[in-house]
Amino acid sequence: MSLFGRRERREIAELNAYVDRLRTQRDKALKDAARWKGVAERASEMFTDTSLVNDRLTDANLAVARRLTRALKACARYRAALNKTATEWMAECQAHALRADRLQRQLDDSLGLNTAPVVLGATGQDRREQKMRYDK
């Protein structure tokens, strides 16, 4: 003879089934929690590594920026020196050209190349009649 009736046995069976479902849910929740804990730990490690890399890159970028600034200043100084030298060179070239023109005029004067007959003779070839087939 049983201590429980049919109804009590059915309720006990339902309660046991309910307890089994709760245990299954608990086990699944524990597995999920462990999995998400691992994911969170990996994400934290990745964030830390990324932060370290970012710090190193920031330092490297600052060093490059400093080097570029120094290089730009050196280029500006070099460009200013080149401009000064080019200006001086152009002034010297102009002075030499003026001197050469003056000397050429003096030479032409001393050799008599600036006289009217010489100037008129400069176009003499254009006024000459063609006498040969290879002439103009």
Side-chain angles (χ1 to χ4, degrees):
M1 181 157 166
S2 169
L3 294 173
F4 301 106
R6 196 183 290 169
R7 193 176 104 219
E8 286 89 10
R9 282 191 299 243
R10 188 179 35 133
E11 286 177 1
I12 290 173
E14 287 173 0
L15 287 173
N16 283 335
Y18 181 68
V19 167
D20 288 340
R21 280 194 309 271
L22 288 177
R23 283 188 183 129
T24 304
Q25 288 176 358
R26 180 202 63 200
D27 293 343
K28 183 178 181 295
L30 288 174
K31 284 181 189 176
D32 287 347
R35 184 171 51 98
W36 286 113
K37 182 181 175 189
V39 168
E41 288 172 353
R42 282 193 305 275
S44 175
E45 290 171 4
M46 290 172 64
F47 178 76
T48 302
D49 293 344
T50 304
S51 179
L52 292 174
V53 169
N54 187 32
D55 292 344
R56 279 187 241 134
L57 285 175
T58 300
D59 293 344
N61 282 339
L62 290 173
V64 168
R66 284 191 295 272
R67 288 175 47 203
L68 281 175
T69 302
R70 284 194 305 267
L72 284 173
K73 288 178 183 176
C75 285
R77 285 191 304 270
Y78 185 65
R79 185 182 68 205
L82 285 178
N83 283 339
K84 180 182 176 192
T85 304
T87 302
E88 291 169 356
W89 182 75
M90 292 297 289
E92 284 182 31
C93 286
Q94 248 180 346
H96 286 299
L98 290 173
R99 183 173 181 263
D101 290 344
R102 182 179 50 81
L103 290 174
Q104 185 66 48
R105 279 192 307 276
Q106 287 177 355
L107 179 63
D108 290 348
D109 289 343
S110 65
L111 295 175
L113 296 177
N114 290 337
T115 60
V118 173
V119 173
L120 289 175
T123 59
Q125 290 294 323
D126 295 335
R127 294 188 307 261
R128 183 173 74 94
E129 285 185 32
Q130 291 185 353
K131 297 194 176 168
M132 297 190 171
R133 58 183 165 87
Y134 55 84
D135 282 343
K136 286 187 190 177

